[in-house]
């Protein structure tokens, strides 16, 4: 199986770096970027399985970034991760195709389990599309 | 003058209200019970006259026994009848929703394209304004008002877009992606999200999770959407001070159930069969689209489950979601 690639998007640099380090320690190929725009940029060039996305960011915010990711690459799964939980944005996030909406601080084990589930979903999705193509 | 309907109206009325379902006919069944009892009871009189009191007593006890036996069976028939009515109602509800879904997704599609163009034109006009040196931060004469108008148009276009997207979502025929899910955890995640805002209004969330719940094979993000919608509705229904109770439980061998109860305003009986309709809302304009519960209903049917409501005005409301649990297939 190819490597599990995770993109983390958060404008809080300290948080971003710590999370990347911790995920790498768990043998995930984690990359961090600090804005929605940069996330879309790197997603255009590289393949990621799951994106962890902060909700509140200056510039392109989390929900807008999520919508754009889902428009460009619908198979990429996105987990929203936020310190400022609001029901409104949670509903918007789930509505716009997020896999999950998680409140900070989230334990690393919890997060990894969610990442695995999100990745499982992506694989299922790919599998379905492949089998749909076979049967006309 | 406007006419609501009638043969001269331009658009034909589409009647999608459920046809009236007959009451189980409880009273008629009870009459039957009395008749069955009266027969041996009436026999008691001639028996008393011809064969003596012993035989009359016998006839009376036969009457008593038949009263009880008939009562038992009639109760069972009535219950079965009631269940059938409930299923019929559910079926009608689903068909109605499917029909509305079909119609509204058609409309949403048609509206989406012009909407996209309006949005683009607004962006273009904003761009032109900026080029001409009268962007939003240069209040040159009437131009600042012009700019405000543009921004408002953009905002309203966004609002329309949100609604059409929700509608398309509601009618979407995408097949769910099935994964093994720990339902208690999934629900708890969403409860935490609502809890902060609830607590600010003195609304407590009580948990009643069954510990050894089997894993559910379902589509996790879709289920999260349902839970979040129900919790949000419950939270909204409580004005100030109240309790939202979340329970999960096994329901028979191959199913699980979860309930969201609130001590809020309740739903008047005449609204009960409308709340799952798209666009039915009692919230003030602009506050709710009335799509929440119809989306929930659509998702739960897609997941092979059912959703029902129980409510009393002034006391509160309970939504119950029933989902199949395929424990035998294990957890992938
Ligand atoms: N827990 C509840 N208690 C009382 N009334 C409720 C409850 N849940 C739903 N309702 C009633 O059902 C209506 C429809 O609910 P639904 O979730 O579909 O739409 P909404 O909440 O009005 O709008 P939206 O979900 O789009 O913001 C509500 O307007 C309300 O009148
Ligand atoms: Mg609602």
């Amino acid at each position: 199986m190819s490597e599990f690639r995770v993109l983390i998007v958060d404008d809080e640099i300290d948080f971003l770096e710590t999370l990347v380090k911790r995920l790498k320690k768990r043998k995930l190929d984690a990359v961090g970027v600090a804005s929605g725009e940069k996330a879309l940029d790197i997603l255009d060039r590289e393949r990621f399985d799951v994106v962890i996305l902060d909700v509140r960011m200056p510039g392109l915010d989390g929900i807008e970034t999520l919508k754009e990711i889902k428009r460009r690459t619908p198979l990429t799964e996105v987990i929203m991760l936020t310190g400022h939980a609001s029901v409104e944005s949670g509903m918007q996030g789930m509505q716009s195709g997020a896999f999950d909406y998680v409140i900070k601080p989230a334990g690393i084990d919890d997060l990894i389990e969610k990442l695995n589930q999100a990745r499982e979903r992506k694989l299922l999705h790919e599998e379905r599309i492949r089998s749909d193509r076979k049967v006309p | 003058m406007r006419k609501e309907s009638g043969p001269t109206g331009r658009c034909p009325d589409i009647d999608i209200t459920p046809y009236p379902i007959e009451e189980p006919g409880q009273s008629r069944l009870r009459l039957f019970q009395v008749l069955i009892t009266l027969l041996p009871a009436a026999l008691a009189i001639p028996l008393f006259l011809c064969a003596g009191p012993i035989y009359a007593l016998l006839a009376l006890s036969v009457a008593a026994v038949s009263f009880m036996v008939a009562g038992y069976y009639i109760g069972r028939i009535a219950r079965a009848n009631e269940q059938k009515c409930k299923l019929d109602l559910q079926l009608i509800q689903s068909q109605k929703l499917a029909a509305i879904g079909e119609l509204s997704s058609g409309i949403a599609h048609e509206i989406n394209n012009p909407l996209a163009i309006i949005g683009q034109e607004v962006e273009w006009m904003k761009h032109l304004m900026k080029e001409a040196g009268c962007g939003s931060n240069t209040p040159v004469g009437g131009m600042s008002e012009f700019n405000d108008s543009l921004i408002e148009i953009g905002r309203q276009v966004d609002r329309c877009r949100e609604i059409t997207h929700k509608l398309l979502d509601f009618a979407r025929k995408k097949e769910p992606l099935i994964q093994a899910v720990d339902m208690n955890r999934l629900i708890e995640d969403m409860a935490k999200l609502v809890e902060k805002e609830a607590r600010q209004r003195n609304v407590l969330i009580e948990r009643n999770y069954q510990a050894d719940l089997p894993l559910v094979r379902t589509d996790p993000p879709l289920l999260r959407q349902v839970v979040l919608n129900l919790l949000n509705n419950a939270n909204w229904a409580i004005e100030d001070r109240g309790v939202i109770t979340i329970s999960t439980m096994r329901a028979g061998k191959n199913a699980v159930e979860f309930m969201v109860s609130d001590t809020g305003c309740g739903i008047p009986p005449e609204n009960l069969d409308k709340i799952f309709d798209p666009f039915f809302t009692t919230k003030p304009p602009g506050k709710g689209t009335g799509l929440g519960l119809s989306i929930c209903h659509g998702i739960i049917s897609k997941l092979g489950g059912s959703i029902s409501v129980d409510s009393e005005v002034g006391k509160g409301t309970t939504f119950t979601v029933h989902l199949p649990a395929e424990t035998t297939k294990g957890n992938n």
Side-chain angles (χ1 to χ4, degrees):
Chain A
M1 198 178 275
S2 60
E3 223 175 347
F4 188 176
R5 301 206 71 208
V6 184
L7 177 67
I8 303 149
V9 190
D10 201 311
D11 60 314
E12 232 177 285
I13 303 296
D14 288 343
F15 176 83
L16 187 68
E17 281 172 355
T18 321
L19 190 54
V20 168
K21 223 187 298 168
R22 293 176 87 179
L23 290 180
K24 275 189 171 155
K25 215 178 260 173
R26 303 287 189 106
K27 301 278 177 289
L28 297 182
D29 183 4
V31 177
V33 293
S35 76
E37 288 87 348
K38 283 188 188 138
L40 293 178
D41 242 27
I42 196 170
L43 279 167
D44 260 352
R45 288 178 275 114
E46 295 176 34
R47 178 198 66 87
F48 287 91
D49 297 300
V50 182
V51 179
I52 296 179
L53 193 55
D54 186 22
V55 175
R56 267 206 216 171
M57 292 184 293
L60 210 56
D61 73 23
I63 300 288
E64 288 168 55
T65 311
L66 163 70
K67 284 183 183 163
E68 196 52 33
I69 292 174
K70 280 296 184 184
R71 201 179 63 76
R72 295 186 188 181
T73 51
L75 291 198
T76 310
E77 290 297 341
V78 180
I79 295 174
M80 308 301 288
L81 181 63
T82 176
H84 315 268
S86 91
V87 181
E88 174 72 28
S89 86
M91 302 249 280
Q92 259 185 0
M94 292 315 298
Q95 185 87 42
S96 310
F99 176 76
D100 204 346
Y101 194 97
V102 183
I103 305 171
K104 279 185 201 168
I108 191 79
D109 291 322
D110 258 12
L111 200 57
I112 286 185
E113 199 185 326
K114 286 182 190 302
L115 282 170
N116 281 328
Q117 280 171 352
R119 187 203 197 193
E120 183 193 59
R121 182 179 173 86
K122 183 183 179 239
L123 295 178
L124 280 172
H125 207 164
E126 287 171 352
E127 211 171 281
R128 166 178 304 162
I129 289 173
R130 266 198 296 275
S131 63
D132 277 357
R133 289 230 178 96
K134 262 183 234 144
V135 192
Chain B
M1 201 177 72
R2 260 186 76 202
K3 252 194 195 161
E4 289 303 321
S5 59
T8 52
R10 258 187 305 148
C11 55
D13 261 326
I14 305 173
D15 188 7
I16 36 177
T17 47
Y19 58 79
I21 289 181
E22 250 182 67
E23 275 280 294
Q26 279 261 17
S27 52
R28 235 182 321 149
L29 284 171
R30 288 288 158 210
L31 190 72
F32 195 64
Q33 184 186 10
V34 171
L35 278 179
I36 287 181
T37 317
L38 271 183
L39 207 72
L43 265 177
I45 301 165
L47 273 176
F48 180 77
L49 293 176
C50 310
I54 303 261
Y55 287 94
L57 269 181
L58 211 65
L60 278 180
S61 40
V62 168
V65 169
S66 31
F67 180 80
M68 284 189 300
V69 171
Y72 172 73
Y73 279 106
I74 281 167
R76 280 184 58 164
I77 292 171
R79 263 198 304 281
N81 233 335
E82 216 169 286
Q83 230 163 27
K84 186 177 165 293
C85 282
K86 222 167 133 189
L87 279 179
D88 279 353
L89 267 181
Q90 261 176 15
L91 198 68
I92 291 166
Q93 182 78 359
S94 306
Q95 277 170 356
K96 180 166 90 171
L97 287 184
I100 300 176
E102 206 68 37
L103 183 71
S104 43
S105 78
I107 297 173
H109 262 302
E110 291 300 320
I111 291 180
N112 252 350
N113 288 332
L115 218 53
I117 295 172
I118 296 173
Q120 267 170 24
E121 294 298 318
V122 168
E123 287 309 313
W124 179 236
M125 284 169 85
K126 279 186 194 159
H127 173 76
L128 288 180
M129 294 275 290
K130 216 179 259 167
E131 290 232 307
C134 22
S136 47
N137 35 19
T138 42
V140 188
M143 279 307 152
S144 82
E145 251 177 71
F146 193 90
N147 230 324
D148 288 348
S149 290
L150 271 185
I151 290 170
E152 188 57 29
I153 293 174
R155 211 175 279 144
Q156 297 302 329
V157 167
D158 280 346
R159 196 172 139 197
C160 293
R161 206 179 278 149
E162 202 112 303
I163 295 175
T164 54
H165 281 181
K166 270 197 199 177
L167 262 179
L168 286 174
D169 224 52
F170 161 67
R172 197 169 43 185
K173 295 213 178 60
K174 243 171 91 185
E175 283 300 304
L177 285 161
I178 303 299
Q179 292 178 266
V181 175
D182 175 350
M183 209 169 66
N184 284 345
R185 246 189 84 189
L186 185 148
I187 292 176
E188 178 56 25
D189 283 348
M190 296 300 109
K192 282 219 193 78
L193 179 53
V194 178
E195 192 157 40
K196 213 171 92 194
E197 275 168 46
R199 213 184 285 140
Q200 286 165 3
R201 297 171 38 250
N202 294 311
V203 175
L204 292 179
I205 297 190
E206 268 182 17
R207 280 93 163 162
N208 227 331
Y209 300 138
Q210 181 166 337
D212 56 340
L213 215 58
L215 291 177
V216 183
R217 292 183 57 79
T218 193
D219 184 304
L222 287 182
L223 194 56
R224 285 193 187 98
Q225 236 177 299
V226 172
V227 175
L228 205 49
N229 260 304
L230 293 180
L231 286 175
N232 192 39
N233 279 351
N235 192 26
W236 167 86
I238 301 173
E239 196 153 351
D240 180 45
R241 227 165 264 288
V243 183
I244 299 173
T245 309
I246 310 171
S247 333
T248 60
M249 67 210 72
R250 229 175 236 276
K253 249 193 179 157
N254 299 317
V256 293
E257 245 170 30
F258 72 87
M259 294 178 176
V260 177
S261 302
D262 64 70
T263 57
C265 56
I267 303 169
E270 68 270 21
N271 286 351
L272 272 182
D273 61 347
K274 294 194 208 117
I275 55 170
F276 293 108
D277 294 355
F279 297 119
F280 177 80
T281 179
T282 56
K283 294 182 182 172
K287 281 277 152 56
T289 51
L291 283 170
L293 282 177
S294 48
I295 289 173
C296 290
H297 190 283
I299 289 175
I300 294 298
S301 330
K302 244 189 270 178
L303 295 177
S306 63
I307 178 169
S308 60
V309 60
D310 218 333
S311 185
E312 200 175 321
V313 173
K315 283 246 172 78
T317 306
T318 301
F319 282 91
T320 305
V321 175
H322 191 93
L323 284 172
E326 286 180 358
T327 44
T328 44
K329 280 195 193 159
N331 37 358
N332 268 33

